[in-house]
Amino acid sequence: MDLFTFTRAELTSPVQFIGGRWVVSAYDDVRAVLADPVTFLPDNALTAVTPVAPAALRALVRARFSLPPTLANNGSSSHAGLRRLVASFFTPARVAAAEPRIRSLVSERLGGTDLVRSLAWDLPAIVLMDLLGLPNVDIPTLKRWSTGSLEFFWGDITRERQMELVDDVGDFHQWLIKRYHARDGELFCALADAGVSAEDSAGLCYFLLIAGQETTTQLLSTALRRALQDRSLWARLPEPGVAESFVEDVLRTDTPVVTWRRLTAREVVLSGVRVPAGAELVLLLSGKETDPRHLAFGYGRHFCLGAGLARLEAAVTLRTVAEREPSLHLVGPEPEWLNLLSFRAPKSVTVAR
Ligand code: HEM
């Protein structure tokens, strides 16, 4: 079985050793792991899945790239303060206030033939930059840096591919360091004012500017495709509450962040299986068809800070497109998929009217 493409249906045990990692898939186990950051450390959350080969590593060192523990990969006491600072940009009031802007961005993006490129691609990045108070960001460059980074850190890639991607990783990080020193934008001012170092700020922003929009691009892509596969649902999406509950269903069984990682601090037993200390756990976040619960945004201390924003963007997008384009339908062959350890989504959603 392949860690980059496996599905829940293929697993034969709730704790299964695949390709050197322990895949944990029972809801209660995954939740218990996420709820106990002392036994299950978040330290490996952002570690490259394919070990970085020496030539790419030298390039990263030259670019002074580093990812110190800040948010998702931080099990230390500095996590709470950094999390509070970032959370202040995503309060329910700030998120709700973004709704008209999201709706108008969707309206401006109607009419494309590939909904991933025309709609899902840049919208989450534009909304995120607004919320973080970061003006003058070249969105196509940000997307190149962030899609390249996802593949570099979560992909099953060759040394050659690492070398092709490593400049995007390094350039993105250097740009973040520069903006921090220039106090260019609200987020960087808030970090500098709170005494967060340039290195920690760049590491935090590197993750936040990727996690805060690539995942939502993926959720929009999956949700639009799935919604268009069901004509009666497409017709009902404009009704109150239908888009919201459909988004929960997509998150439950087809979440873009299909897995998330933890490291065992000691030997543990999960569903009767003994797992050694220092083992890498791959927690399956996409749920069972028959279970109404989901852990798409994680659980506990590291629960996703953008859950409300992602839900709003997805519901507003689906509702607006379905309202304005009732006759939209899927055409063409099966799309190619993004298959990374932790991220899965269709790369295109081809439509006709
Ligand atoms: C569909 C979209 C998204 C999904 C499925 C998703 C999923 C996740 C998951 C699984 C985690 C790890 C949770 C854990 O360890 O318990 C996480 C953490 C995080 N997410 Fe999201 N996310 C999404 C969108 C966003 C957005 C829009 C933002 C930014 C506004 C964001 C910011 C973060 C941050 C900052 C963390 C780390 C929190 C911490 O360590 O304290 N995410 N997300």
Side-chain angles (χ1 to χ4, degrees), residues 182-216:
R183 297 178 60 91
D184 191 354
E186 278 175 50
L187 175 63
F188 292 105
C189 289
L191 287 162
D193 290 345
V196 182
S197 70
E199 196 192 5
D200 286 356
S201 297
L204 181 153
C205 292
Y206 181 81
F207 168 72
L208 180 61
L209 268 56
I210 296 173
Q213 51 87 20
E214 283 301 327
T215 48
T216 312

mmCIF file of all heavy atoms in Angstrom, residues 182-216:
data_model
loop_
_atom_site.group_PDB
_atom_site.id
_atom_site.type_symbol
_atom_site.label_atom_id
_atom_site.label_comp_id
_atom_site.label_asym_id
_atom_site.label_seq_id
_atom_site.Cartn_x
_atom_site.Cartn_y
_atom_site.Cartn_z
ATOM 1 N N ALA A 182 11.232 44.934 7.430
ATOM 2 C CA ALA A 182 10.648 46.194 6.933
ATOM 3 C C ALA A 182 9.341 46.533 7.668
ATOM 4 O O ALA A 182 8.736 47.564 7.405
ATOM 5 C CB ALA A 182 10.394 46.074 5.432
ATOM 6 N N ARG A 183 8.928 45.668 8.598
ATOM 7 C CA ARG A 183 7.620 45.826 9.286
ATOM 8 C C ARG A 183 6.521 46.096 8.258
ATOM 9 O O ARG A 183 5.683 46.978 8.440
ATOM 10 C CB ARG A 183 7.677 46.969 10.310
ATOM 11 C CG ARG A 183 8.666 46.741 11.446
ATOM 12 C CD ARG A 183 8.701 47.939 12.387
ATOM 13 N NE ARG A 183 7.404 48.195 12.994
ATOM 14 C CZ ARG A 183 6.989 47.691 14.153
ATOM 15 N NH1 ARG A 183 7.783 46.906 14.845
ATOM 16 N NH2 ARG A 183 5.793 47.978 14.628
ATOM 17 N N ASP A 184 6.549 45.302 7.203
ATOM 18 C CA ASP A 184 5.680 45.545 6.052
ATOM 19 C C ASP A 184 4.388 44.745 6.172
ATOM 20 O O ASP A 184 4.300 43.599 5.736
ATOM 21 C CB ASP A 184 6.443 45.161 4.773
ATOM 22 C CG ASP A 184 5.717 45.627 3.527
ATOM 23 O OD1 ASP A 184 4.593 46.126 3.638
ATOM 24 O OD2 ASP A 184 6.298 45.462 2.431
ATOM 25 N N GLY A 185 3.366 45.344 6.787
ATOM 26 C CA GLY A 185 2.072 44.670 6.947
ATOM 27 C C GLY A 185 1.758 44.406 8.415
ATOM 28 O O GLY A 185 2.659 44.270 9.244
ATOM 29 N N GLU A 186 0.430 44.328 8.704
ATOM 30 C CA GLU A 186 -0.028 44.190 10.102
ATOM 31 C C GLU A 186 0.545 42.972 10.818
ATOM 32 O O GLU A 186 0.939 43.043 11.980
ATOM 33 C CB GLU A 186 -1.558 44.025 10.124
ATOM 34 C CG GLU A 186 -2.330 45.312 10.027
ATOM 35 C CD GLU A 186 -3.831 45.018 9.944
ATOM 36 O OE1 GLU A 186 -4.334 44.235 10.781
ATOM 37 O OE2 GLU A 186 -4.476 45.552 9.021
ATOM 38 N N LEU A 187 0.557 41.815 10.133
ATOM 39 C CA LEU A 187 1.034 40.596 10.799
ATOM 40 C C LEU A 187 2.490 40.750 11.235
ATOM 41 O O LEU A 187 2.858 40.408 12.363
ATOM 42 C CB LEU A 187 0.892 39.396 9.849
ATOM 43 C CG LEU A 187 1.470 38.077 10.365
ATOM 44 C CD1 LEU A 187 0.745 37.598 11.618
ATOM 45 C CD2 LEU A 187 1.401 36.997 9.286
ATOM 46 N N PHE A 188 3.328 41.305 10.347
ATOM 47 C CA PHE A 188 4.747 41.438 10.693
ATOM 48 C C PHE A 188 4.939 42.454 11.813
ATOM 49 O O PHE A 188 5.793 42.265 12.692
ATOM 50 C CB PHE A 188 5.568 41.798 9.453
ATOM 51 C CG PHE A 188 5.620 40.671 8.473
ATOM 52 C CD1 PHE A 188 4.869 40.699 7.310
ATOM 53 C CD2 PHE A 188 6.387 39.544 8.735
ATOM 54 C CE1 PHE A 188 4.883 39.639 6.421
ATOM 55 C CE2 PHE A 188 6.415 38.474 7.862
ATOM 56 C CZ PHE A 188 5.661 38.520 6.695
ATOM 57 N N CYS A 189 4.164 43.539 11.815
ATOM 58 C CA CYS A 189 4.244 44.526 12.907
ATOM 59 C C CYS A 189 3.862 43.870 14.225
ATOM 60 O O CYS A 189 4.525 44.070 15.245
ATOM 61 C CB CYS A 189 3.316 45.711 12.636
ATOM 62 S SG CYS A 189 3.904 46.754 11.298
ATOM 63 N N ALA A 190 2.781 43.064 14.206
ATOM 64 C CA ALA A 190 2.325 42.421 15.445
ATOM 65 C C ALA A 190 3.407 41.469 15.981
ATOM 66 O O ALA A 190 3.663 41.423 17.193
ATOM 67 C CB ALA A 190 1.033 41.657 15.192
ATOM 68 N N LEU A 191 4.055 40.731 15.090
ATOM 69 C CA LEU A 191 5.094 39.794 15.521
ATOM 70 C C LEU A 191 6.297 40.546 16.094
ATOM 71 O O LEU A 191 6.809 40.208 17.164
ATOM 72 C CB LEU A 191 5.533 38.915 14.339
ATOM 73 C CG LEU A 191 4.519 37.842 13.914
ATOM 74 C CD1 LEU A 191 4.805 37.326 12.504
ATOM 75 C CD2 LEU A 191 4.502 36.673 14.914
ATOM 76 N N ALA A 192 6.724 41.594 15.376
ATOM 77 C CA ALA A 192 7.882 42.358 15.840
ATOM 78 C C ALA A 192 7.572 43.042 17.178
ATOM 79 O O ALA A 192 8.384 43.014 18.107
ATOM 80 C CB ALA A 192 8.288 43.385 14.781
ATOM 81 N N ASP A 193 6.370 43.624 17.295
ATOM 82 C CA ASP A 193 5.994 44.308 18.539
ATOM 83 C C ASP A 193 5.939 43.344 19.718
ATOM 84 O O ASP A 193 6.163 43.728 20.855
ATOM 85 C CB ASP A 193 4.628 45.003 18.389
ATOM 86 C CG ASP A 193 4.717 46.212 17.459
ATOM 87 O OD1 ASP A 193 5.850 46.664 17.187
ATOM 88 O OD2 ASP A 193 3.653 46.679 16.993
ATOM 89 N N ALA A 194 5.589 42.086 19.442
ATOM 90 C CA ALA A 194 5.507 41.097 20.525
ATOM 91 C C ALA A 194 6.889 40.510 20.844
ATOM 92 O O ALA A 194 7.010 39.621 21.687
ATOM 93 C CB ALA A 194 4.541 39.976 20.126
ATOM 94 N N GLY A 195 7.924 40.990 20.158
ATOM 95 C CA GLY A 195 9.284 40.534 20.441
ATOM 96 C C GLY A 195 9.611 39.169 19.828
ATOM 97 O O GLY A 195 10.577 38.523 20.236
ATOM 98 N N VAL A 196 8.824 38.731 18.851
ATOM 99 C CA VAL A 196 9.111 37.451 18.185
ATOM 100 C C VAL A 196 10.278 37.692 17.207
ATOM 101 O O VAL A 196 10.242 38.657 16.430
ATOM 102 C CB VAL A 196 7.866 36.917 17.439
ATOM 103 C CG1 VAL A 196 8.160 35.573 16.786
ATOM 104 C CG2 VAL A 196 6.666 36.806 18.391
ATOM 105 N N SER A 197 11.292 36.837 17.247
ATOM 106 C CA SER A 197 12.493 37.046 16.425
ATOM 107 C C SER A 197 12.173 36.928 14.936
ATOM 108 O O SER A 197 11.136 36.383 14.547
ATOM 109 C CB SER A 197 13.552 35.998 16.786
ATOM 110 O OG SER A 197 13.119 34.726 16.318
ATOM 111 N N ALA A 198 13.100 37.416 14.106
ATOM 112 C CA ALA A 198 12.917 37.330 12.651
ATOM 113 C C ALA A 198 12.805 35.869 12.215
ATOM 114 O O ALA A 198 11.961 35.511 11.386
ATOM 115 C CB ALA A 198 14.097 37.995 11.940
ATOM 116 N N GLU A 199 13.653 35.023 12.797
ATOM 117 C CA GLU A 199 13.663 33.612 12.393
ATOM 118 C C GLU A 199 12.353 32.906 12.768
ATOM 119 O O GLU A 199 11.764 32.174 11.955
ATOM 120 C CB GLU A 199 14.846 32.918 13.076
ATOM 121 C CG GLU A 199 15.181 31.603 12.465
ATOM 122 C CD GLU A 199 16.162 30.802 13.324
ATOM 123 O OE1 GLU A 199 16.499 31.240 14.444
ATOM 124 O OE2 GLU A 199 16.556 29.725 12.855
ATOM 125 N N ASP A 200 11.886 33.140 14.002
ATOM 126 C CA ASP A 200 10.619 32.527 14.428
ATOM 127 C C ASP A 200 9.451 33.082 13.614
ATOM 128 O O ASP A 200 8.538 32.343 13.229
ATOM 129 C CB ASP A 200 10.361 32.769 15.921
ATOM 130 C CG ASP A 200 11.253 31.898 16.801
ATOM 131 O OD1 ASP A 200 11.998 31.062 16.257
ATOM 132 O OD2 ASP A 200 11.211 32.062 18.036
ATOM 133 N N SER A 201 9.471 34.392 13.344
ATOM 134 C CA SER A 201 8.385 34.998 12.579
ATOM 135 C C SER A 201 8.326 34.410 11.176
ATOM 136 O O SER A 201 7.250 34.102 10.655
ATOM 137 C CB SER A 201 8.561 36.516 12.475
ATOM 138 O OG SER A 201 8.504 37.085 13.758
ATOM 139 N N ALA A 202 9.488 34.273 10.550
ATOM 140 C CA ALA A 202 9.507 33.744 9.184
ATOM 141 C C ALA A 202 9.026 32.299 9.171
ATOM 142 O O ALA A 202 8.270 31.892 8.279
ATOM 143 C CB ALA A 202 10.906 33.850 8.591
ATOM 144 N N GLY A 203 9.429 31.515 10.164
ATOM 145 C CA GLY A 203 8.991 30.113 10.243
ATOM 146 C C GLY A 203 7.480 30.035 10.432
ATOM 147 O O GLY A 203 6.793 29.248 9.769
ATOM 148 N N LEU A 204 6.972 30.874 11.330
ATOM 149 C CA LEU A 204 5.531 30.895 11.594
ATOM 150 C C LEU A 204 4.762 31.301 10.334
ATOM 151 O O LEU A 204 3.788 30.659 9.940
ATOM 152 C CB LEU A 204 5.256 31.869 12.751
ATOM 153 C CG LEU A 204 3.823 32.064 13.235
ATOM 154 C CD1 LEU A 204 3.835 32.474 14.710
ATOM 155 C CD2 LEU A 204 3.065 33.127 12.454
ATOM 156 N N CYS A 205 5.232 32.365 9.687
ATOM 157 C CA CYS A 205 4.522 32.873 8.502
ATOM 158 C C CYS A 205 4.639 31.903 7.337
ATOM 159 O O CYS A 205 3.718 31.781 6.526
ATOM 160 C CB CYS A 205 5.059 34.237 8.091
ATOM 161 S SG CYS A 205 4.671 35.493 9.306
ATOM 162 N N TYR A 206 5.774 31.235 7.248
ATOM 163 C CA TYR A 206 5.950 30.259 6.168
ATOM 164 C C TYR A 206 4.827 29.230 6.247
ATOM 165 O O TYR A 206 4.149 28.940 5.263
ATOM 166 C CB TYR A 206 7.321 29.587 6.308
ATOM 167 C CG TYR A 206 7.624 28.576 5.226
ATOM 168 C CD1 TYR A 206 8.090 28.987 3.987
ATOM 169 C CD2 TYR A 206 7.451 27.214 5.460
ATOM 170 C CE1 TYR A 206 8.355 28.059 2.988
ATOM 171 C CE2 TYR A 206 7.721 26.280 4.474
ATOM 172 C CZ TYR A 206 8.173 26.718 3.238
ATOM 173 O OH TYR A 206 8.437 25.786 2.263
ATOM 174 N N PHE A 207 4.583 28.706 7.449
ATOM 175 C CA PHE A 207 3.499 27.729 7.622
ATOM 176 C C PHE A 207 2.131 28.386 7.432
ATOM 177 O O PHE A 207 1.270 27.871 6.711
ATOM 178 C CB PHE A 207 3.610 27.077 9.005
ATOM 179 C CG PHE A 207 2.388 26.282 9.375
ATOM 180 C CD1 PHE A 207 2.115 25.069 8.758
ATOM 181 C CD2 PHE A 207 1.490 26.765 10.322
ATOM 182 C CE1 PHE A 207 0.973 24.350 9.076
ATOM 183 C CE2 PHE A 207 0.347 26.045 10.649
ATOM 184 C CZ PHE A 207 0.090 24.832 10.034
ATOM 185 N N LEU A 208 1.942 29.539 8.059
ATOM 186 C CA LEU A 208 0.608 30.158 8.048
ATOM 187 C C LEU A 208 0.179 30.564 6.630
ATOM 188 O O LEU A 208 -0.978 30.382 6.250
ATOM 189 C CB LEU A 208 0.613 31.384 8.973
ATOM 190 C CG LEU A 208 -0.684 32.163 9.099
ATOM 191 C CD1 LEU A 208 -1.798 31.285 9.667
ATOM 192 C CD2 LEU A 208 -0.489 33.393 9.997
ATOM 193 N N LEU A 209 1.103 31.110 5.853
ATOM 194 C CA LEU A 209 0.737 31.570 4.511
ATOM 195 C C LEU A 209 0.522 30.402 3.536
ATOM 196 O O LEU A 209 -0.081 30.577 2.481
ATOM 197 C CB LEU A 209 1.779 32.559 3.965
ATOM 198 C CG LEU A 209 1.456 34.036 4.255
ATOM 199 C CD1 LEU A 209 1.266 34.322 5.717
ATOM 200 C CD2 LEU A 209 2.507 34.964 3.663
ATOM 201 N N ILE A 210 1.007 29.228 3.909
ATOM 202 C CA ILE A 210 0.708 28.031 3.104
ATOM 203 C C ILE A 210 -0.582 27.397 3.608
ATOM 204 O O ILE A 210 -1.552 27.228 2.868
ATOM 205 C CB ILE A 210 1.875 27.020 3.167
ATOM 206 C CG1 ILE A 210 3.138 27.612 2.541
ATOM 207 C CG2 ILE A 210 1.491 25.720 2.472
ATOM 208 C CD1 ILE A 210 4.378 26.762 2.711
ATOM 209 N N ALA A 211 -0.602 27.063 4.924
ATOM 210 C CA ALA A 211 -1.762 26.359 5.511
ATOM 211 C C ALA A 211 -3.038 27.173 5.375
ATOM 212 O O ALA A 211 -4.118 26.617 5.251
ATOM 213 C CB ALA A 211 -1.505 26.065 6.985
ATOM 214 N N GLY A 212 -2.886 28.495 5.416
ATOM 215 C CA GLY A 212 -4.051 29.361 5.430
ATOM 216 C C GLY A 212 -4.722 29.547 4.087
ATOM 217 O O GLY A 212 -5.781 30.169 4.011
ATOM 218 N N GLN A 213 -4.126 29.013 3.012
ATOM 219 C CA GLN A 213 -4.799 29.180 1.724
ATOM 220 C C GLN A 213 -4.703 27.957 0.803
ATOM 221 O O GLN A 213 -5.674 27.643 0.108
ATOM 222 C CB GLN A 213 -4.337 30.471 1.030
ATOM 223 C CG GLN A 213 -2.822 30.662 0.920
ATOM 224 C CD GLN A 213 -2.233 30.030 -0.306
ATOM 225 O OE1 GLN A 213 -2.947 29.770 -1.263
ATOM 226 N NE2 GLN A 213 -0.937 29.764 -0.306
ATOM 227 N N GLU A 214 -3.598 27.216 0.801
ATOM 228 C CA GLU A 214 -3.541 26.038 -0.082
ATOM 229 C C GLU A 214 -4.638 25.031 0.292
ATOM 230 O O GLU A 214 -5.294 24.446 -0.587
ATOM 231 C CB GLU A 214 -2.175 25.354 0.004
ATOM 232 C CG GLU A 214 -1.061 26.073 -0.763
ATOM 233 C CD GLU A 214 -1.351 26.231 -2.239
ATOM 234 O OE1 GLU A 214 -2.000 25.356 -2.836
ATOM 235 O OE2 GLU A 214 -0.932 27.257 -2.815
ATOM 236 N N THR A 215 -4.820 24.825 1.596
ATOM 237 C CA THR A 215 -5.827 23.871 2.068
ATOM 238 C C THR A 215 -7.225 24.281 1.603
ATOM 239 O O THR A 215 -8.039 23.427 1.254
ATOM 240 C CB THR A 215 -5.822 23.836 3.600
ATOM 241 O OG1 THR A 215 -5.846 25.181 4.061
ATOM 242 C CG2 THR A 215 -4.602 23.139 4.137
ATOM 243 N N THR A 216 -7.486 25.582 1.617
ATOM 244 C CA THR A 216 -8.821 26.046 1.228
ATOM 245 C C THR A 216 -8.998 25.940 -0.286
ATOM 246 O O THR A 216 -10.076 25.583 -0.763
ATOM 247 C CB THR A 216 -9.064 27.477 1.741
ATOM 248 O OG1 THR A 216 -8.691 27.528 3.122
ATOM 249 C CG2 THR A 216 -10.517 27.865 1.615
#
